[in-house]
């Protein structure tokens, strides 16, 4: 650690210490990417501008420390790890700007491909590259690895769609192909490099064998070595250099900005799974499918289908397929529905000529299509999730000439058998002859490492020597194919690559070991250790898909990095390195546990549904001692008293704050937390409690057998069908409206119900009731279980034994209520299963919208869909409600978890600030007539971040309805 500390101290001359990470928890968590290699960096830095990048290059040269740039860390070949300085550009380089009506887009390297496409969607355009990891892969990696994907082939990959590029060379020189003067400046200021590029181009043009070899290699997908096609596609050395950077894997320069040509995104699509008796028959169908106009043709062997057949929602027919079966996932796309129908009819008319097991069934339903593609994109992690504990999963990426694909697959399957990879799977982009194969591998013994080495040697011989294919079609050379670049390209062209690296990065400090590596065993160095830890951790293959939705990603750790640290803790313990173990465990408390929002959105992005939030809850639960659990249970049993105390505290808050200059209430709540661990810290966004009139009205009517209010304007015979039980959340009962003089949420809900003709009933023991979220998120299991059982009793009574649905006014509480079952006793589970629990969003969409009277629509509003809506699957309802009550509705592209997580944002306000910053910046760029969400604490977080007044969508309905 001493060397690491020294490096960090020296780096402070370049940037503030706050953007230099040298703590053990940071270094360990950045040691892995999605591949199967691992290196612990000396420091992780987060530069904000080009001046700092140039300074980092200078620092690297001065101290002879390697430099590696990292975006999303989704690379599978070890391109984004280092034992030098790791430069994280995913935080401050997220610029994206569509130009020319979306025909081009200007991007920075830290923005994800999916976010770029989200900005282009209104123009009906998208970027050409479409890798499976596009939701997490950042543009720096997409460009540096010359990403392609399922649809773009070799025509619309990163190389062919990059129009302009701005980059910084290791010597600090910065150039842009968008600026005419930079062409002259490059020739003047970088004469040796300029002349080398010109000389190498002339060498290739003068040698017909080399020229034809390059031309042929790029007629199919190929990302092995440097993009030598730049030498024959471009004449000016600056253009040659710029296109060498595409696919250069960060070994030549830093890409600061790029302008890409975009491609149309056809609005009409039809998708189907075609089943074949064997993989050879599936391969025979590829060329006819291409001729029929299929845009995507994805191959999956029987082992792949076995890996997904038990996923919820999968077609039952998959389990009935014969053992040799295979499938093609295909998609047709068109600009009009008529053109799509015509294309489908033509294909179906000739489909009998293909050796399919049954006729295809196409779907145009967006959700069904999305599900099929999510399954395909998640094949690699899904296989990895079921591997034996302690083993890794390796995804290789090769390409064969399309006419030989079937034969090559049979040869590859023979290699699996020869080397004992009996559960290997094959899938890939069949249109391009591009196969991915996955093998499960242990590196714990020398014998296992040797087996993998021998297997890779055999794969290289099969791909290169037998079929003249590509060892890497789209994932980049990385570390695992660097020793074999010369084998594929030949000595002469490999020598040109070596000269390019030497001329551009003469000190060899930029991502060393990647692409150019003279170590014949480089592919088996620095292998990742995956010790057995616990269920959630052991399933994770560190793909990184979870990171973009994590609210703490810009503050502390992401779900992937939390898991990497858990593995490192086990490794340190086994190695007997107690001091480092203790240090890492201590740092993990804040970074790994305290600042996790436990919102569970990571599971929605995870191909194998790992909910790191549940893991963190369990770890929190295990960290509580008996005294803490006993105190929490006492709070749960006396929650009515707590509720009254909080109301009193909030009523006093404004006065206390005004008398103490804003310092009194925070100090008071911090003190109270010593006695009541569930009390949140003070926030200026916390409003005072609602007036007691609403609560008195509710309490006076409860238990009397009479509804709080009866619906009006509805016939008697339909009244019973429109009766609900309204369960106001505890936060709604203790916090009023943030706007002075405005109705509280309780009165607002009742007002909307009255206007919609809905009869409302209230639980008789309302005060002191709670869904239990506040205990669950903190890991107080006994308190949570007590509260859960109590609320089921209350709701069972209030709903006349499950006759009426329960409506709550906070979406996160609804989500908690819908997942109470594991915390309930068996007798309460039987009652719970008969309850219908709905959100106010369901109430508005299903019961209010159909009868909403004359409307005075708002002109322009913005929404914040909370995490719970995403997990409940009701976000579409939320948007439809808004569109019913407003003429123009905006859902920010950057909308995500606000990090509030109940009261987590009060305890750690820096978490909420980090989580909301991007969305707040987007929202604040224009003004709206209203700001709406569906969870009180989230509304407070967004109000604080944007300085606008977010409120429940119930207010929108109440204000608009007559």
């Amino acid at each position: 650690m001493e060397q690491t500390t020294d490096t960090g101290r020296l780096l402070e001359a370049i940037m503030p210490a706050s953007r230099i990470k040298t703590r053990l928890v940071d270094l360990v968590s950045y040691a892995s990417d999605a591949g199967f290699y691992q290196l612990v960096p000396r420091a992780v830095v987060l530069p904000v501008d080009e001046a700092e990048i140039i300074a980092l290059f200078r620092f690297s040269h001065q101290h002879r420390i390697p430099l590696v740039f990292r975006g999303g860390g989704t690379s599978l070949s070890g391109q984004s790890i280092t034992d030098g300085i790791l430069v994280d550009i995913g935080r401050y380089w997220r610029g994206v700007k569509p130009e020319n009506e979306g025909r081009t887009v200007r991007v920075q390297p830290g923005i994800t491909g999916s976010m770029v496409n989200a900005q282009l969607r209104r123009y009906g355009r998208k970027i050409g590259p479409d890798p499976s990891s596009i939701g997490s892969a950042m543009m720096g990696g997409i460009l540096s690895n010359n990403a392609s994907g399922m649809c773009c082939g070799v025509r619309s990959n990163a190389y062919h769609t990059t129009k302009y590029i701005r980059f910084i060379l290791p010597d600090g020189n910065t150039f842009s192909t968008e600026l005419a003067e930079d062409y002259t400046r490059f020739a003047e200021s970088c004469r040796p490099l300029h002349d080398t590029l010109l000389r190498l181009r002339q060498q290739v043009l003068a040698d017909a064998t080399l020229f034809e070899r390059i031309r042929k290699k790029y007629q199919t997908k190929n990302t092995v070595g440097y993009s030598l096609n730049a030498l024959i596609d471009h004449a000016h050395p600056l253009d040659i250099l710029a296109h060498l950077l595409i696919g250069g894997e960060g070994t030549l320069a830093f890409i600061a900005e790029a302008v890409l040509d975009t491609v149309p995104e056809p609005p009409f699509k039809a998708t189907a799974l075609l089943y074949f008796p064997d993989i050879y028959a599936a391969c025979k169908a590829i060329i006819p499918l291409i001729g029929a106009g299929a845009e995507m043709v994805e191959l999956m062997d029987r082992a792949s289908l076995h890996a997904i057949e038990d996923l919820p929602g999968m077609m039952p027919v998959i389990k009935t397929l014969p053992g040799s079966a295979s499938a093609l996932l295909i998609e047709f796309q068109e600009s009009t529905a008529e053109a799509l129908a015509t294309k489908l009819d033509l294909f179906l008319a000739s489909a009998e000529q293909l050796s399919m097991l049954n006729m295809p069934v196409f779907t145009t339903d967006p959700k069904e299509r999305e599900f099929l593609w999510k399954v395909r994109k998640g094949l690699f992690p899904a296989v990895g999730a079921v591997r034996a504990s302690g083993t890794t999963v390796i995804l290789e990426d090769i390409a064969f000439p399309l006419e030989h694909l079937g034969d090559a697959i049979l040869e590859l399957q023979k290699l699996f058998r020869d080397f004992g990879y009996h559960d290997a799977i094959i899938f890939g982009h069949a249109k391009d002859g591009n196969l991915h194969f996955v093998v499960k591998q242990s590196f714990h013994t020398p014998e296992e490492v040797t087996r993998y080495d021998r297997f890779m040697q055999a794969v290289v011989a099969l791909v290169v020597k037998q079929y003249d294919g590509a060892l890497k079609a789209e994932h980049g050379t990385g570390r695992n194919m660097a020793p074999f670049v010369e084998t594929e390209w030949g000595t002469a062209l490999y020598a040109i690559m070596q000269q390019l690296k030497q001329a551009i990065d003469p000190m060899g400090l930029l991502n060393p070991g990647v692409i150019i590596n003279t170590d014949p065993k480089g592919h088996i160095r620095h292998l990742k250790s995956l010790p057995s830890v616990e269920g959630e951790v052991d399933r994770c293959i560190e793909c990184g898909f979870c990171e973009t939705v994590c609210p703490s990603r810009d503050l502390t750790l992401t779900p992937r990095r939390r898991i990497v640290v858990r593995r490192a803790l086990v490794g340190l313990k086994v190695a007997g390195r107690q001091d480092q173990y203790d240090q890492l465990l201590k740092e993990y408390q804040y970074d790994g546990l305290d600042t996790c929002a436990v919102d569970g959105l990571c599971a929605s992005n995870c191909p194998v549904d790992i909910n790191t939030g549940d893991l963190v809850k369990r770890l929190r639960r295990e960290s509580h001692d008996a005294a803490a659990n006993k105190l929490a249970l006492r709070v749960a049993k006396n929650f009515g008293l707590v509720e009254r105390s909080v109301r009193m505290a909030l009523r006093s808050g404004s006065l206390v704050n005004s008398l103490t200059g804003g310092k009194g209430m925070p100090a008071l709540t911090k003190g109270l937390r010593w006695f009541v661990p569930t009390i949140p810290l003070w926030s200026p966004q916390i409003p005072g409690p609602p007036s007691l009139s609403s609560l008195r009205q509710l309490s006076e009517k409860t238990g009397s057998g009479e509804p709080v209010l009866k619906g009006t304007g509805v016939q008697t015979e339909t009244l019973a069908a429109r009766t609900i039980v309204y369960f106001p959340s505890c936060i709604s009962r203790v916090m009023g409206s943030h706007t002075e003089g405005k109705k509280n949420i309780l009165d607002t809900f009742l007002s909307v119900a009255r206007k919609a003709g809905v009869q409302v009933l209230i639980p008789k023991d309302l005060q002191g009731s709670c869904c239990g979220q506040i205990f669950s998120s903190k890991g107080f299991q006994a308190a949570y279980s007590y509260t859960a059982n109590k609320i089921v009793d209350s709701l069972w009574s209030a709903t006349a034994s499950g006759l009426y649905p329960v409506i709550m006014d906070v979406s996160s509480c609804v989500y908690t209520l819908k997942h109470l079952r594991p915390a309930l006793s068996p007798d309460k589970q039987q009652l719970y299963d008969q309850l219908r629990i709905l959100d106010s969003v369901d109430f508005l969409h299903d019961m209010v919208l159909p009868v909403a009277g004359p409307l005075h629509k708002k002109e322009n509003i913005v929404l914040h869909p909370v995490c719970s809506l995403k997990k409940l699957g009701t976000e579409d309802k939320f948007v439809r409600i808004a569109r019913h009550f407003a003429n123009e509705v905006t859902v920010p592209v950057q909308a995500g978890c606000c990090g509030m997580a109940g009261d987590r944002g009060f305890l750690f306000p820096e978490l909420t600030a980090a989580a909301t910053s991007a969305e707040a910046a987007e929202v604040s760029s224009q003004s709206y007539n209203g700001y709406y969400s569906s969870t009180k604490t989230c509304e407070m977080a967004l109000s604080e971040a944007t300085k606008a007044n977010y409120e429940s969508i119930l207010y929108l309905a109440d204000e608009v309805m007559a």
Side-chain angles (χ1 to χ4, degrees):
M1 287 295 294
E2 186 175 342
Q3 185 184 49
T4 295
T5 304
D6 290 342
T7 302
R9 192 179 304 114
L10 292 170
L11 283 166
E12 290 181 20
I14 295 175
M15 62 184 69
S18 60
R19 289 191 279 109
I20 302 169
K21 298 176 180 290
T22 57
R23 294 179 307 148
L24 185 58
V25 70
D26 295 317
L27 304 183
V28 164
S29 66
Y30 273 105
S32 298
D33 60 9
F36 54 96
Y37 299 97
Q38 193 167 43
L39 286 169
V40 179
R42 293 194 201 179
V44 179
V45 295
L46 290 82
V48 298
D49 55 31
E50 293 182 7
E52 289 186 346
I53 296 291
I54 294 170
L56 284 169
F57 274 127
R58 190 179 303 119
F59 182 93
S60 170
H61 291 166
Q62 179 182 353
H63 298 280
R64 294 187 176 273
I65 301 175
L67 202 65
V68 171
F69 298 100
R70 174 168 171 153
T74 58
S75 60
L76 294 163
S77 306
Q79 295 101 318
S80 59
I81 58 172
T82 182
D83 55 3
I85 298 171
L86 190 64
V87 185
D88 183 350
I89 50 88
R91 173 79 182 273
Y92 296 107
W93 298 79
R94 296 175 182 168
V96 53
K97 181 183 179 184
E99 298 175 339
N100 303 314
E101 296 299 311
R103 289 188 295 276
T104 60
V105 62
R106 188 176 300 272
V107 299
Q108 287 186 314
I111 187 75
T112 64
S114 62
M115 194 60 68
V116 176
N117 282 341
Q119 296 284 2
L120 291 169
R121 196 166 292 130
R122 64 182 181 272
Y123 302 103
R125 312 283 294 185
K126 63 179 181 178
I127 59 173
D130 59 338
S132 298
S133 58
I134 195 168
S136 303
M138 296 177 182
M139 291 306 302
I142 288 173
L143 296 174
S144 293
N145 289 291
N146 190 18
S148 50
M150 300 183 186
C151 192
C152 74
V154 295
R155 298 166 299 163
S156 301
N157 61 11
Y159 178 92
H160 288 292
T161 57
T162 300
K163 186 175 184 178
Y164 302 120
I165 187 168
R166 180 178 177 84
F167 58 91
I168 304 173
L169 293 171
D171 63 8
N173 275 299
T174 304
F175 299 98
S176 170
T177 57
E178 193 174 12
L179 303 176
E181 59 269 25
D182 276 16
Y183 285 80
T184 302
R185 188 165 60 84
F186 179 65
E188 294 173 348
S189 61
C190 296
R191 175 57 65 180
L193 176 56
H194 173 279
D195 292 349
T196 297
L197 292 168
L198 205 56
R199 175 178 57 79
L200 293 175
R201 169 177 163 77
Q202 291 166 350
Q203 178 184 339
V204 169
L205 293 179
D207 189 322
T209 301
L210 297 183
F211 181 93
E212 289 304 323
R213 180 65 176 162
I214 293 171
R215 181 60 72 202
K216 181 183 177 182
K217 291 291 287 181
Y218 289 106
Q219 288 174 351
T220 56
K221 283 187 176 183
N222 190 331
T223 58
V224 176
Y226 291 119
S227 301
L228 293 184
N229 46 342
L231 294 170
I232 62 178
D233 290 342
H234 301 279
H236 195 285
L238 186 62
D239 288 322
I240 294 172
L241 177 56
H243 285 81
L244 284 168
L245 302 187
I246 308 300
E249 301 178 39
T251 65
L252 301 177
F254 171 71
I255 298 175
E257 183 182 81
V259 176
L260 278 72
D261 290 317
T262 63
V263 299
E265 173 68 289
F268 297 94
K269 303 172 183 178
T271 310
L273 259 176
L274 314 185
Y275 304 107
F276 297 85
D278 54 57
I279 202 162
Y280 203 86
C283 290
K284 288 290 187 183
I286 295 170
I287 292 178
L289 282 166
I290 295 173
E295 289 292 332
M296 298 185 186
V297 183
E298 294 294 305
L299 175 70
M300 290 180 278
D301 70 354
R302 189 65 182 96
S304 300
L305 297 174
H306 275 310
I308 62 173
E309 63 185 17
D310 290 322
L311 292 178
M314 283 306 300
M315 291 75 78
V317 68
I318 293 181
K319 287 189 176 183
T320 69
L321 297 175
S324 61
S326 185
L328 293 176
L329 178 60
I330 69 170
E331 183 166 286
F332 290 94
Q333 303 177 353
E334 276 296 343
S335 56
T336 66
E338 293 76 16
L340 179 62
T342 299
K343 186 174 282 188
L344 288 178
D345 290 342
L346 288 172
F347 168 70
L348 291 171
S350 62
E352 291 183 357
Q353 300 174 16
L354 305 179
S355 301
M356 290 185 290
L357 292 173
N358 47 30
M359 288 298 289
V361 178
F362 283 89
T363 178
T364 57
D365 180 84
K367 288 191 175 180
E368 292 177 0
R369 289 184 48 260
E370 181 183 357
F371 172 76
L372 287 172
W373 288 113
K374 182 179 180 181
V375 168
R376 161 57 189 87
K377 292 177 180 180
L379 262 178
F380 167 49
V383 173
V386 296
R387 72 194 187 282
S389 179
T391 63
T392 189
V393 59
I394 297 173
L395 173 63
E396 280 303 339
D397 163 43
I398 55 181
F400 296 101
L402 194 54
E403 63 271 20
H404 299 307
L405 186 60
D407 294 319
I409 289 175
L410 296 180
E411 294 277 0
L412 185 59
Q413 289 176 330
K414 182 178 182 299
L415 289 184
F416 295 156
R417 294 190 296 271
D418 291 346
F419 287 93
Y421 296 105
H422 300 295
D423 51 4
I425 72 167
I426 295 174
F427 60 96
H429 314 312
K431 268 181 70 174
D432 303 302
N434 178 194
L435 296 180
H436 303 317
F437 67 84
V438 179
V439 295
K440 300 171 188 176
Q441 175 72 51
S442 167
F443 290 125
H444 292 314
T445 66
E447 292 77 16
E448 279 295 299
V449 175
T450 299
R451 176 173 74 121
Y452 175 71
D453 183 18
R454 291 176 56 241
F455 171 66
M456 287 309 302
Q457 301 283 353
V459 169
V460 170
L462 172 68
V463 175
V464 175
K465 296 177 181 177
Q466 190 167 342
Y467 287 102
D468 194 21
L471 291 171
K472 283 291 185 180
E474 59 181 6
H475 291 168
T477 308
R479 298 176 181 277
N480 54 337
M481 284 301 172
F484 308 110
V485 175
E486 184 175 5
T487 303
E488 176 164 335
W489 280 97
T491 302
L493 290 174
Y494 183 64
I496 288 177
M497 294 183 190
Q498 290 177 307
Q499 291 177 65
L500 289 169
K501 173 68 172 175
Q502 177 64 30
I504 301 168
D505 179 28
M507 296 185 71
L509 293 172
L510 198 50
N511 213 353
V514 172
I515 296 186
I516 302 298
N517 190 342
T518 57
D519 181 359
K521 298 296 183 181
H523 60 299
I524 52 174
R525 310 284 190 211
H526 313 298
L527 297 169
K528 183 185 291 184
S529 173
L530 293 176
S532 298
V533 183
E534 52 219 344
E536 304 93 333
V537 169
D538 291 348
R539 287 163 52 216
C540 176
I541 60 162
E542 302 175 9
C543 66
F545 288 7
C546 57
E547 294 194 327
T548 55
V549 295
C550 178
S552 61
R553 67 187 183 277
D554 289 340
L555 179 66
T556 50
L557 298 179
T558 62
R560 169 170 62 176
R561 290 172 57 210
R562 285 183 170 92
I563 284 175
V564 170
V565 175
R566 293 290 295 169
R567 286 175 167 151
L569 283 166
V570 171
L572 290 173
K573 197 165 193 176
V574 170
R577 296 158 67 181
Q578 191 64 39
D579 289 346
Q580 285 192 311
Y581 174 85
D582 292 341
Q583 179 185 351
L584 186 57
L585 190 63
K586 180 180 179 181
E587 292 173 353
Y588 192 67
Q589 179 63 44
Y590 175 78
D591 289 54
L593 303 183
D594 292 346
T595 54
C596 177
V598 299
D599 57 20
L601 280 188
C602 46
S604 66
N605 266 30
C606 176
V608 293
D609 298 319
I610 297 174
N611 189 330
T612 313
D614 287 345
L615 168 64
V616 169
K617 286 181 185 179
R618 179 170 62 76
L619 295 175
R620 288 175 183 170
R621 184 166 64 246
E622 293 171 358
S623 70
H624 296 317
D625 58 22
N629 281 312
K630 186 175 181 180
L631 179 57
L633 182 59
R634 187 182 307 157
V635 170
K637 290 181 176 180
N638 295 278
F639 202 74
L641 175 61
V642 173
E643 183 178 331
R644 288 192 295 272
S645 301
V646 171
R647 285 178 55 83
M648 185 179 302
L650 295 182
R651 189 178 298 113
S652 306
S654 298
L655 177 61
V656 172
N657 257 9
S658 63
L659 293 175
T660 61
K663 298 178 181 178
M665 200 59 192
L668 175 61
T669 54
K670 282 182 180 178
L672 286 172
R673 284 188 58 78
W674 284 100
F675 304 100
V676 185
T678 55
I679 286 183
L681 294 179
W682 178 259
S683 164
Q685 283 296 330
I686 295 180
S691 66
L692 290 176
S693 60
S694 295
L695 294 179
R696 287 198 187 100
Q697 179 191 30
L698 299 182
S699 62
E700 287 168 2
K701 296 293 184 181
T702 55
S704 65
E706 294 291 329
V708 173
L709 61 90
K710 291 183 178 180
T712 57
V714 179
Q715 294 181 1
T716 304
E717 58 268 23
T718 64
L719 189 59
R722 293 180 62 77
T723 300
I724 65 169
V725 171
Y726 172 37
F727 174 26
S729 65
C730 57
I731 195 169
S732 296
R733 301 195 305 268
V734 301
M735 293 185 187
S737 170
H738 199 71
T739 304
E740 189 173 350
K742 201 163 192 175
K743 279 189 288 192
N744 61 60
I745 190 69
L746 286 74
D747 289 333
T748 301
F749 184 96
L750 297 177
S751 175
V752 172
R754 183 182 298 109
K755 292 175 181 179
V758 175
Q759 184 171 240
V760 179
L761 303 171
I762 303 292
K764 63 180 181 180
D765 49 356
L766 185 62
Q767 187 160 308
S769 59
C770 175
C771 69
Q773 179 187 10
I774 197 167
F775 301 109
S776 171
S777 65
K778 293 179 175 61
F780 291 113
Q781 187 60 33
Y784 173 49
S785 182
Y786 172 85
T787 305
N789 283 278
K790 179 181 176 183
I791 194 61
V792 167
D793 267 340
S794 175
L795 294 179
W796 181 252
S797 174
T799 60
S801 304
L803 178 62
Y804 305 118
V806 178
I807 312 292
M808 288 199 73
D809 49 31
V810 169
S811 297
S812 61
C813 295
V814 174
Y815 182 81
T816 300
L817 280 182
K818 281 180 171 286
H819 294 80
L820 287 182
R821 202 174 195 282
L824 300 174
S825 61
D827 59 319
K828 295 298 188 297
Q829 288 180 357
Q830 295 180 18
L831 306 183
Y832 173 78
D833 290 342
Q834 300 176 64
L835 294 175
R836 288 176 292 158
I837 300 166
L838 303 174
D839 187 12
S840 58
V841 169
D842 298 302
F843 167 67
L844 288 172
H845 184 273
D846 300 345
M847 301 186 73
V848 175
L849 258 58
V851 298
L855 305 177
H856 308 285
K857 286 190 174 186
K858 289 213 168 183
E859 186 59 35
N860 182 18
I861 67 171
V862 66
L863 303 179
H864 173 71
V866 300
C867 306
S868 298
L869 293 182
K870 299 176 188 293
K871 293 185 288 186
L872 290 168
T874 54
E875 186 175 356
D876 288 347
K877 283 187 176 183
F878 183 60
V879 175
R880 284 196 290 270
I881 293 165
R883 288 176 177 160
H884 188 84
F885 292 129
N887 291 321
E888 185 178 342
V889 176
T890 297
V891 179
V893 172
Q894 299 278 4
C897 176
C898 68
M900 204 64 176
D903 68 345
R904 185 72 24 184
F906 296 138
L907 305 175
F908 303 99
E910 66 273 21
L911 172 61
T912 305
T916 57
S917 60
E919 182 178 354
E922 183 180 346
V923 170
S924 299
S925 66
Q926 57 182 301
S927 60
Y928 300 91
N929 300 132
Y931 302 76
Y932 300 100
S933 191
S934 62
T935 295
K936 182 65 179 179
T937 50
C938 301
E939 293 153 20
M940 294 161 62
L942 268 295
S943 297
E944 174 69 18
T946 64
K947 309 307 177 187
N949 183 30
Y950 276 77
E951 53 191 357
S952 169
I953 198 166
L954 286 162
Y955 283 94
L956 172 64
D958 190 37
E959 292 166 6
V960 168
M961 292 173 64

